[in-house]
Amino acid sequence: MNASKTLGEIAQRIGGEVEGDVHAVVGGVASLESAGKTQLSYFASPRYRKALLGTRALAVLARKDAPPVEGMNWIRVPNPALAFAQVAAWFHPRAPRPPGTDASARIHPSAQVHPSACIMANVFIDKGAVIGAHSVLFPGVFIGEGVVLGESCWVYPNVVLMEGVVVGHRVTLHAGVVLGADGFGYAFDAEQKAHVKIPQVGIVRIEDDVEVGAGTCIDRATTGETVIGRGTKIDNLVQIGHNVHIGPLGLICGQVGIAGSVKVGAGVVLAGQVGIADHLTIGNRVMVSAQTGIGRDVEDGAQVSGYSGFRHVDWLKFMLSAHKLPELLKEISRLKRRLEELEKKEDP
């Protein structure tokens, strides 16, 4: 953790404006609820007003239009959450790892490992693999044949990169990630009454600045590529099937499952436990709420919700009729008023 910093120094670094004591010394960052008297926090939404009024924080990052609190030091910024992320990274920089290779690592003679890379205990790097400058491989990482790992990547313990996987620069792969396991593809042989495996001969390609959470699996393509676009952030325990293409700057939350050959546009947000059926297209900037099941294409900019445990045939019938419900409700209301009028006329 870095040394303490004044509010003035912090404001200058993030382009903010101090309201209060510019010389007040900040020793760290914390949430509104847990912050102590030397810590900086942030206020980004009116729903946290109660927490703001009860905080013990030395200072708070907030927008210019946030209502003042008596005695509070402020740093006014356009985006408090972004500013907090920047300040937190300043206080808690990623600890550098010294270059070099542990004696217990096993590296094929044909592999290319940059001298500035850090290769820790029991790492295995197969033939033809390339490890870029300043990348860090934690204990137990497996790098398959022909894998290319870019510069400044952090690959945490027990990550598996199967043969042919290509990873860009500044990618973070958390513990237990598996890239390039076989896609789930079989053809049924009716005569032999058996599922016959379709060879999965494609690759996985991860573009720059992607982060993949612990335990997530991204399958190799049947042919061609499974692609995760630049800057996309993926949570823990996500399953992404073969030949899926995720556009840039997506957010994919925990326990999402994406079946094979799905195309996901740029800036898409998939909340927790979303499921997407195979061969669909999800447009740009789509937002999908938690536990939604998607069985059809989604147009650009749509917000999608809905979960059901109906029998499939009943669910299909419901979906075909659901768009008529608003008109039916209006018609029922009209008929109800008409009935009331008729009943009044019949009353003696």
Side-chain angles (χ1 to χ4, degrees), residues 34 58 61 88 95 147 153 167 178 208 219 277:
S34 64
L58 171 68
L61 297 158
V147 166
C153 295
V167 178
V178 178
D208 296 347
D219 292 345

Side-chain angles (χ1 to χ4, degrees), residues 102-105 119-123 137-141:
D102 188 271
S104 65
I119 311 299
M120 298 188 190
N122 299 314
V123 169
L137 276 59
F138 281 76
V141 168

Side-chain angles (χ1 to χ4, degrees), residues 22-232:
V22 295
H23 301 294
V25 176
V26 177
V29 295
S31 67
L32 288 169
E33 294 85 352
S34 64
K37 293 186 290 186
T38 64
Q39 290 178 306
L40 176 73
S41 189
Y42 76 106
F43 174 68
S45 170
R47 58 181 169 168
Y48 301 119
R49 178 72 177 174
K50 183 177 179 181
L52 174 66
L53 295 175
T55 190
R56 296 170 60 238
L58 171 68
V60 174
L61 297 158
R63 294 185 179 88
K64 290 186 178 181
D65 59 356
V69 176
E70 187 176 354
M72 177 70 68
N73 292 310
W74 299 91
I75 299 180
R76 301 290 188 172
V77 291
N79 186 335
L82 174 60
F84 183 80
Q86 293 168 335
V87 175
W90 194 20
F91 272 95
H92 299 277
R94 183 180 264 175
R97 301 288 174 165
T101 299
D102 188 271
S104 65
R106 294 293 179 263
I107 302 175
H108 193 277
S110 67
Q112 301 176 42
V113 178
H114 195 279
S116 64
C118 174
I119 311 299
M120 298 188 190
N122 299 314
V123 169
F124 179 88
I125 302 176
D126 209 343
K127 62 182 179 180
V130 177
I131 308 300
H134 308 294
S135 285
V136 178
L137 276 59
F138 281 76
V141 168
F142 174 89
I143 303 292
E145 181 178 346
V147 166
V148 177
L149 182 73
E151 299 179 2
S152 301
C153 295
W154 281 54
V155 184
Y156 283 97
N158 300 320
V159 167
V160 174
L161 275 61
M162 300 300 292
E163 64 273 12
V165 168
V166 177
V167 178
H169 305 308
R170 300 174 301 279
V171 170
T172 299
L173 304 174
H174 288 279
V177 164
V178 178
L179 303 182
D182 279 359
F184 193 69
Y186 299 86
F188 187 67
D189 185 336
E191 289 186 7
Q192 299 296 323
K193 293 183 172 55
H195 296 288
V196 178
K197 185 177 181 67
I198 299 171
Q200 305 292 295
V201 299
I203 66 167
V204 171
R205 178 163 58 86
I206 309 294
E207 296 183 352
D208 296 347
D209 301 303
V210 168
E211 184 163 359
V212 182
T216 285
C217 297
I218 303 174
D219 292 345
R220 70 174 54 252
T222 305
T223 60
E225 297 182 332
T226 300
V227 179
I228 309 299
R230 176 189 61 82
T232 288

